[in-house]
mmCIF file of all heavy atoms in Angstrom:
data_model
loop_
_atom_site.group_PDB
_atom_site.id
_atom_site.type_symbol
_atom_site.label_atom_id
_atom_site.label_comp_id
_atom_site.label_asym_id
_atom_site.label_seq_id
_atom_site.Cartn_x
_atom_site.Cartn_y
_atom_site.Cartn_z
ATOM 1 N N VAL A 421 26.109 36.494 25.692
ATOM 2 C CA VAL A 421 25.657 36.576 27.038
ATOM 3 C C VAL A 421 24.322 35.907 27.226
ATOM 4 O O VAL A 421 23.401 36.372 26.589
ATOM 5 C CB VAL A 421 25.644 37.983 27.672
ATOM 6 C CG1 VAL A 421 25.254 37.912 29.136
ATOM 7 C CG2 VAL A 421 27.018 38.642 27.525
ATOM 8 N N LEU A 422 24.239 34.900 28.049
ATOM 9 C CA LEU A 422 23.013 34.042 28.121
ATOM 10 C C LEU A 422 22.291 34.428 29.482
ATOM 11 O O LEU A 422 22.952 34.726 30.536
ATOM 12 C CB LEU A 422 23.282 32.581 28.260
ATOM 13 C CG LEU A 422 24.061 32.074 26.989
ATOM 14 C CD1 LEU A 422 24.417 30.470 27.230
ATOM 15 C CD2 LEU A 422 23.227 32.156 25.794
ATOM 16 N N GLN A 423 20.986 34.488 29.334
ATOM 17 C CA GLN A 423 20.226 34.764 30.564
ATOM 18 C C GLN A 423 19.695 33.522 31.048
ATOM 19 O O GLN A 423 19.330 32.521 30.309
ATOM 20 C CB GLN A 423 18.965 35.715 30.192
ATOM 21 C CG GLN A 423 19.444 37.126 29.786
ATOM 22 C CD GLN A 423 20.322 37.872 30.672
ATOM 23 O OE1 GLN A 423 20.027 37.832 31.870
ATOM 24 N NE2 GLN A 423 21.355 38.492 30.215
ATOM 25 N N SER A 424 19.478 33.366 32.367
ATOM 26 C CA SER A 424 18.917 32.110 33.012
ATOM 27 C C SER A 424 17.336 32.084 33.044
ATOM 28 O O SER A 424 16.841 31.327 33.829
ATOM 29 C CB SER A 424 19.574 31.860 34.275
ATOM 30 O OG SER A 424 19.137 32.939 35.159
ATOM 31 N N ASP A 425 16.751 32.926 32.191
ATOM 32 C CA ASP A 425 15.283 32.952 32.244
ATOM 33 C C ASP A 425 14.593 31.804 31.557
ATOM 34 O O ASP A 425 13.399 31.618 31.591
ATOM 35 C CB ASP A 425 14.833 34.257 31.804
ATOM 36 C CG ASP A 425 15.292 34.616 30.301
ATOM 37 O OD1 ASP A 425 15.830 33.700 29.641
ATOM 38 O OD2 ASP A 425 14.941 35.747 29.865
ATOM 39 N N GLY A 426 15.437 31.044 30.711
ATOM 40 C CA GLY A 426 14.755 29.927 30.094
ATOM 41 C C GLY A 426 13.962 30.151 28.917
ATOM 42 O O GLY A 426 13.262 29.313 28.377
ATOM 43 N N THR A 427 14.013 31.339 28.435
ATOM 44 C CA THR A 427 13.226 31.801 27.134
ATOM 45 C C THR A 427 13.972 31.646 25.936
ATOM 46 O O THR A 427 13.453 31.436 24.862
ATOM 47 C CB THR A 427 12.708 33.177 27.292
ATOM 48 O OG1 THR A 427 13.708 34.113 27.442
ATOM 49 C CG2 THR A 427 11.745 33.316 28.530
ATOM 50 N N THR A 428 15.329 31.730 25.973
ATOM 51 C CA THR A 428 16.163 31.731 24.678
ATOM 52 C C THR A 428 16.603 30.275 24.410
ATOM 53 O O THR A 428 17.184 29.642 25.305
ATOM 54 C CB THR A 428 17.371 32.529 24.926
ATOM 55 O OG1 THR A 428 17.104 33.805 25.293
ATOM 56 C CG2 THR A 428 18.314 32.587 23.689
ATOM 57 N N VAL A 429 16.129 29.729 23.284
ATOM 58 C CA VAL A 429 16.552 28.354 22.837
ATOM 59 C C VAL A 429 17.938 28.395 22.416
ATOM 60 O O VAL A 429 18.306 29.164 21.485
ATOM 61 C CB VAL A 429 15.488 27.912 21.879
ATOM 62 C CG1 VAL A 429 15.842 26.448 21.382
ATOM 63 C CG2 VAL A 429 14.034 27.826 22.496
ATOM 64 N N LEU A 430 18.701 27.536 22.928
ATOM 65 C CA LEU A 430 20.135 27.515 22.497
ATOM 66 C C LEU A 430 20.387 26.419 21.275
ATOM 67 O O LEU A 430 21.189 26.690 20.558
ATOM 68 C CB LEU A 430 20.949 27.034 23.675
ATOM 69 C CG LEU A 430 20.795 27.903 24.996
ATOM 70 C CD1 LEU A 430 21.728 27.411 26.098
ATOM 71 C CD2 LEU A 430 21.220 29.370 24.677
ATOM 72 N N ALA A 431 19.668 25.310 21.379
ATOM 73 C CA ALA A 431 19.692 24.317 20.360
ATOM 74 C C ALA A 431 18.461 23.585 20.481
ATOM 75 O O ALA A 431 17.881 23.489 21.555
ATOM 76 C CB ALA A 431 20.918 23.473 20.511
ATOM 77 N N VAL A 432 18.139 22.763 19.382
ATOM 78 C CA VAL A 432 17.045 21.832 19.447
ATOM 79 C C VAL A 432 17.617 20.539 18.909
ATOM 80 O O VAL A 432 18.252 20.517 17.897
ATOM 81 C CB VAL A 432 16.050 22.299 18.451
ATOM 82 C CG1 VAL A 432 14.865 21.250 18.485
ATOM 83 C CG2 VAL A 432 15.360 23.623 18.860
ATOM 84 N N ILE A 433 17.320 19.471 19.760
ATOM 85 C CA ILE A 433 17.675 18.103 19.357
ATOM 86 C C ILE A 433 16.484 17.332 19.007
ATOM 87 O O ILE A 433 15.477 17.287 19.739
ATOM 88 C CB ILE A 433 18.424 17.454 20.626
ATOM 89 C CG1 ILE A 433 19.636 18.332 20.979
ATOM 90 C CG2 ILE A 433 18.942 15.990 20.192
ATOM 91 C CD1 ILE A 433 20.275 17.806 22.322
ATOM 92 N N THR A 434 16.504 16.588 17.893
ATOM 93 C CA THR A 434 15.434 15.754 17.510
ATOM 94 C C THR A 434 15.925 14.242 17.463
ATOM 95 O O THR A 434 16.934 13.894 16.861
ATOM 96 C CB THR A 434 14.978 16.139 16.141
ATOM 97 O OG1 THR A 434 14.641 17.507 16.072
ATOM 98 C CG2 THR A 434 13.720 15.307 15.675
ATOM 99 N N GLN A 435 15.153 13.491 18.226
ATOM 100 C CA GLN A 435 15.528 12.053 18.269
ATOM 101 C C GLN A 435 15.194 11.444 16.884
ATOM 102 O O GLN A 435 14.086 11.689 16.261
ATOM 103 C CB GLN A 435 14.658 11.347 19.323
ATOM 104 C CG GLN A 435 15.136 9.867 19.556
ATOM 105 C CD GLN A 435 14.132 9.176 20.479
ATOM 106 O OE1 GLN A 435 13.086 9.510 20.675
ATOM 107 N NE2 GLN A 435 14.742 8.206 21.155
ATOM 108 N N MET A 436 16.121 10.634 16.331
ATOM 109 C CA MET A 436 16.077 10.090 15.010
ATOM 110 C C MET A 436 15.519 8.580 15.058
ATOM 111 O O MET A 436 14.921 8.059 14.227
ATOM 112 C CB MET A 436 17.321 10.220 14.297
ATOM 113 C CG MET A 436 17.856 11.578 14.129
ATOM 114 S SD MET A 436 16.664 12.663 13.346
ATOM 115 C CE MET A 436 16.808 12.053 11.657
ATOM 116 N N GLN A 437 15.932 7.840 16.159
ATOM 117 C CA GLN A 437 15.566 6.535 16.300
ATOM 118 C C GLN A 437 15.199 6.196 17.707
ATOM 119 O O GLN A 437 15.998 6.459 18.672
ATOM 120 C CB GLN A 437 16.764 5.609 15.946
ATOM 121 C CG GLN A 437 17.068 5.622 14.405
ATOM 122 C CD GLN A 437 18.161 4.749 14.109
ATOM 123 O OE1 GLN A 437 19.069 4.230 15.011
ATOM 124 N NE2 GLN A 437 18.414 4.465 12.868
ATOM 125 N N PRO A 438 14.135 5.626 17.979
ATOM 126 C CA PRO A 438 13.065 5.330 17.057
ATOM 127 C C PRO A 438 12.247 6.590 16.659
ATOM 128 O O PRO A 438 12.473 7.685 17.258
ATOM 129 C CB PRO A 438 12.149 4.407 17.773
ATOM 130 C CG PRO A 438 12.248 4.827 19.269
ATOM 131 C CD PRO A 438 13.734 5.275 19.354
ATOM 132 N N THR A 439 11.476 6.490 15.645
ATOM 133 C CA THR A 439 10.620 7.542 15.205
ATOM 134 C C THR A 439 9.320 6.992 14.776
ATOM 135 O O THR A 439 9.079 5.788 14.730
ATOM 136 C CB THR A 439 11.284 8.267 14.050
ATOM 137 O OG1 THR A 439 10.573 9.602 13.759
ATOM 138 C CG2 THR A 439 11.301 7.524 12.870
ATOM 139 N N THR A 440 8.345 7.872 14.576
ATOM 140 C CA THR A 440 6.966 7.462 14.242
ATOM 141 C C THR A 440 6.652 8.014 12.839
ATOM 142 O O THR A 440 7.145 8.993 12.540
ATOM 143 C CB THR A 440 5.892 7.826 15.218
ATOM 144 O OG1 THR A 440 6.012 9.265 15.262
ATOM 145 C CG2 THR A 440 6.231 7.288 16.603
ATOM 146 N N VAL A 441 5.752 7.352 12.199
ATOM 147 C CA VAL A 441 5.154 7.780 10.926
ATOM 148 C C VAL A 441 3.688 7.716 11.022
ATOM 149 O O VAL A 441 3.015 6.744 11.436
ATOM 150 C CB VAL A 441 5.608 6.899 9.728
ATOM 151 C CG1 VAL A 441 5.078 7.253 8.436
ATOM 152 C CG2 VAL A 441 7.078 6.763 9.663
ATOM 153 N N ILE A 442 3.055 8.890 10.740
ATOM 154 C CA ILE A 442 1.556 8.960 10.784
ATOM 155 C C ILE A 442 1.125 9.104 9.343
ATOM 156 O O ILE A 442 1.595 9.966 8.521
ATOM 157 C CB ILE A 442 1.225 10.285 11.561
ATOM 158 C CG1 ILE A 442 1.804 10.148 13.042
ATOM 159 C CG2 ILE A 442 -0.293 10.469 11.536
ATOM 160 C CD1 ILE A 442 1.629 11.373 13.819
ATOM 161 N N PHE A 443 0.238 8.267 8.931
ATOM 162 C CA PHE A 443 -0.358 8.310 7.577
ATOM 163 C C PHE A 443 -1.726 7.907 7.631
ATOM 164 O O PHE A 443 -2.250 7.320 8.547
ATOM 165 C CB PHE A 443 0.461 7.330 6.602
ATOM 166 C CG PHE A 443 0.399 5.930 7.086
ATOM 167 C CD1 PHE A 443 -0.414 5.154 6.631
ATOM 168 C CD2 PHE A 443 1.367 5.374 8.032
ATOM 169 C CE1 PHE A 443 -0.509 3.762 6.995
ATOM 170 C CE2 PHE A 443 1.364 4.124 8.449
ATOM 171 C CZ PHE A 443 0.401 3.233 7.883
#
Side-chain angles (χ1 to χ4, degrees):
V421 177
L422 303 177
Q423 301 299 319
S424 61
D425 57 9
T427 58
T428 304
V429 175
L430 307 177
V432 177
I433 303 169
T434 304
Q435 184 183 32
M436 303 302 288
Q437 291 181 344
T439 192
T440 59
V441 178
I442 299 171
F443 59 93

